[in-house]
């Protein structure tokens, strides 16, 4: 019997696991892919993410996770009328697989048992604990007093527990060799409705040009992507010499009110699966912060479920309000997000 089983070795899972293990709890962290695992991500660490790595992990973001250009100087938004706004803030540019491996390694050093290539199939509350069914080469079960579900966007366990089918946003991005007349040290976001149903973006990773769009219906992704490329060619002199990779992914469709699911009984949710995600898909900081907050609520009230929920909700209130304000701010820039206006 573990004290806690954490599902998912992303920013939320590793932070929750490490925090608990450091306080002496026995923690098993499950990851379905082999670590380092691939995660579609622009890998932009805003200042808050950098500060949280230092705060929770006691060290700066490691050089091993960074890609070129290592420094990110902020975001340039183009609104639905084609006007550009520059928001300067020092950040970092990382490969997500490397950063998340480093976070998981730190959790392991704190005493977390990690099993990768292991899929959490389901979980069931029993007496004063939870039984989790796991699948690797064999199917077997493990028990814990609590489960922290940090599965990210797909959320097999959460779907089963809540019996729901969440609305999703589909992302389509490509990695390319080529050139474009834009500042590579900024993340560029485009909010014109003719270029995407959500947002479109450009950034650079190890000299590869990354161009992406997000849409509400997956079948429309390539159509919008083609429009975005043509816009970038005309407006910013984009020249693609060679397409290196196509990357399709999903992200939560954040709805008005930015609803958060904190958990069901002894199974808690943290990170993206709980609903924590800022505009332009900025979710690493929210993953770490919610994972840490939940872990601390468990440390404080391990035998009192009601108090764990109460602390977790209160502790993430500021994060939730920040998220609502950020979405409302973006809604002021384009009708694509009009429903998010406060
Ligand atoms: C295209 C794109 C670009 C983005 N760019 C940025 C960015 O630049 N900056 C930023 O801050 N955020 C960005 N995000 C958002 C960010 O990636 C997520 O919000 C963040 O990763 C959420 O962290 P998490 O720990 O909640 O989930 P994840 O990082 O997704 O981790 C969840 C883990 O759980 C594992 N898992 C899932 N189900 C199971 C299961 N049943 N059993 C075992 N393991 C399981 C998964 O394999 C995964 O490793 C981007 C997202 C997308 C899609």
């Amino acid at each position: 019997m573990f004290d806690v089983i954490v599902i998912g070795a992303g920013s939320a899972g590793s932070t929750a696991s490490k925090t608990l293990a450091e306080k002496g709890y026995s923690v098993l962290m499950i990851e379905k892919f082999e670590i380092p695992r691939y995660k579609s991500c622009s890998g932009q660490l805003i200042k808050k993410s950098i500060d949280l790595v230092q705060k929770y992990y006691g060290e700066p973001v490691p050089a091993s996770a960074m890609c070129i250009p290592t420094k990110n100087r902020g975001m340039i938004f183009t609104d639905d009328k084609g006007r550009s706004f520059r928001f300067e803030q020092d950040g970092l540019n990382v490969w997500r697989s490397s950063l998340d491996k480093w976070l998981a390694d730190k959790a392991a050093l704190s005493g977390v048992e990690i099993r990768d290539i292991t899929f959490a199939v389901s979980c069931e509350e029993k007496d004063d604990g939870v039984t989790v069914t796991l699948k690797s080469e064999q199917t077997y079960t493990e028990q814990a007093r609590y489960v922290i579900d940090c599965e990210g966007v797909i959320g097999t366990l959460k779907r089963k527990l809540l019996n729901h089918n969440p609305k999703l946003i589909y992302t389509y991005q490509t990695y390319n060799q080529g050139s474009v007349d834009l500042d590579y040290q900024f993340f560029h976001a485009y909010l014109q409705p003719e270029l995407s149903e959500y947002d479109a973006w450009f950034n650079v990773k190890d000299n590869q040009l990354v161009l992406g769009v997000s849409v509400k219906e997956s079948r429309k992704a390539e159509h919008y992507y083609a429009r975005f490329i043509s816009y970038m060619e005309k407006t910013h002199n984009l020249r693609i010499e060679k397409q290196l990779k196509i990357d399709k992914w999903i992200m939560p469709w954040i709805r008005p009110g930015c609803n958060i699911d904190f958990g069901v009984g002894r199974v808690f949710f943290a990170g993206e699966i709980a609903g924590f995600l800022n505009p332009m898909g900025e979710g690493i900081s929210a993953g770490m912060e919610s994972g840490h907050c939940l872990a601390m609520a468990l440390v404080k009230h391990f035998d009192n479920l009601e108090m764990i929920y109460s602390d977790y909700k209160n502790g993430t209130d500021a994060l939730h309000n920040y998220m609502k304000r950020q979405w409302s701010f973006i809604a002021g820039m384009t009708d694509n997000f009009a429903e998010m206006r406060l």
Side-chain angles (χ1 to χ4, degrees), residues 6-14 30-33 37-46 49 96 100 115 118-122 134 149-157 169 171-173 187 201 203 205 247 249-252 270-274 276-278 280-288 290:
V6 176
I7 315 295
S11 57
S14 286
I30 300 296
E31 170 53 51
K32 68 179 171 185
F33 294 122
R37 60 92 171 88
Y38 180 73
K39 157 87 181 80
S40 178
C41 188
S42 305
Q44 306 296 307
L45 291 187
I46 59 167
S49 299
R96 237 357 244 294
D100 285 9
R115 292 185 204 159
T118 302
F119 183 67
V121 181
S122 61
L134 300 170
D149 181 358
C150 302
E151 286 176 289
V153 61
I154 294 178
T156 307
L157 298 187
I169 293 295
T171 60
Y172 182 102
Q173 59 177 4
F187 184 86
W201 61 89
N203 65 298
K205 302 197 87 68
D247 179 35
W249 210 264
I250 47 176
M251 59 167 76
E272 213 174 64
I273 195 66
F276 290 109
L277 183 67
N278 295 311
M280 306 302 108
E282 194 279 308
I284 299 172
S285 62
M288 286 192 284
S290 58

Side-chain angles (χ1 to χ4, degrees), residues 103-258:
L103 299 179
D105 286 347
K106 293 286 161 192
L109 280 173
S110 299
V112 175
E113 179 178 337
I114 300 179
R115 292 185 204 159
D116 62 356
I117 326 179
T118 302
F119 183 67
V121 181
S122 61
C123 61
E124 197 186 344
E125 212 172 308
K126 273 188 189 155
D127 305 323
D128 59 351
V130 189
T131 301
V132 184
T133 302
L134 300 170
K135 193 167 180 232
S136 50
E137 279 167 6
Q138 289 148 1
T139 301
Y140 62 102
T141 59
E142 290 288 3
Q143 263 107 48
R145 291 287 302 284
Y146 299 105
V147 165
I148 300 185
D149 181 358
C150 302
E151 286 176 289
V153 61
I154 294 178
T156 307
L157 298 187
K158 185 180 167 189
R159 279 171 194 240
K160 285 182 183 166
L161 285 165
L162 298 183
N163 195 20
H164 79 149
N165 211 1
K167 281 195 162 201
L168 297 170
I169 293 295
Y170 300 86
T171 60
Y172 182 102
Q173 59 177 4
T174 61
Y175 289 71
N176 308 279
Q177 276 172 8
S179 60
V180 65
D181 293 342
L182 284 170
D183 189 334
Y184 286 11
Q185 286 198 316
F186 281 84
F187 184 86
H188 300 262
Y190 300 88
L191 301 172
Q192 299 99 309
E194 63 275 18
L195 301 183
S196 81
E197 288 183 301
Y198 215 59
D199 60 338
W201 61 89
F202 164 76
N203 65 298
V204 177
K205 302 197 87 68
D206 279 350
N207 298 321
Q208 297 172 25
L209 310 185
V210 187
L211 293 134
V213 295
S214 47
V215 291
K216 294 173 178 171
E217 287 175 73
S218 61
R219 66 185 174 87
K220 292 188 182 163
E222 287 176 53
H223 161 75
Y224 277 102
Y225 175 78
R227 279 190 182 187
F228 180 47
I229 295 299
S230 151
Y231 166 84
M232 294 294 272
E233 285 169 346
K234 281 189 206 126
T235 319
H236 298 297
N237 204 20
L238 169 70
R239 297 284 171 264
I240 293 182
E241 287 154 18
K242 189 177 176 191
Q243 189 177 85
L244 303 171
K245 186 171 132 186
I246 296 177
D247 179 35
K248 299 178 192 178
W249 210 264
I250 47 176
M251 59 167 76
W253 184 346
I254 303 297
R255 308 313 304 267
C258 301

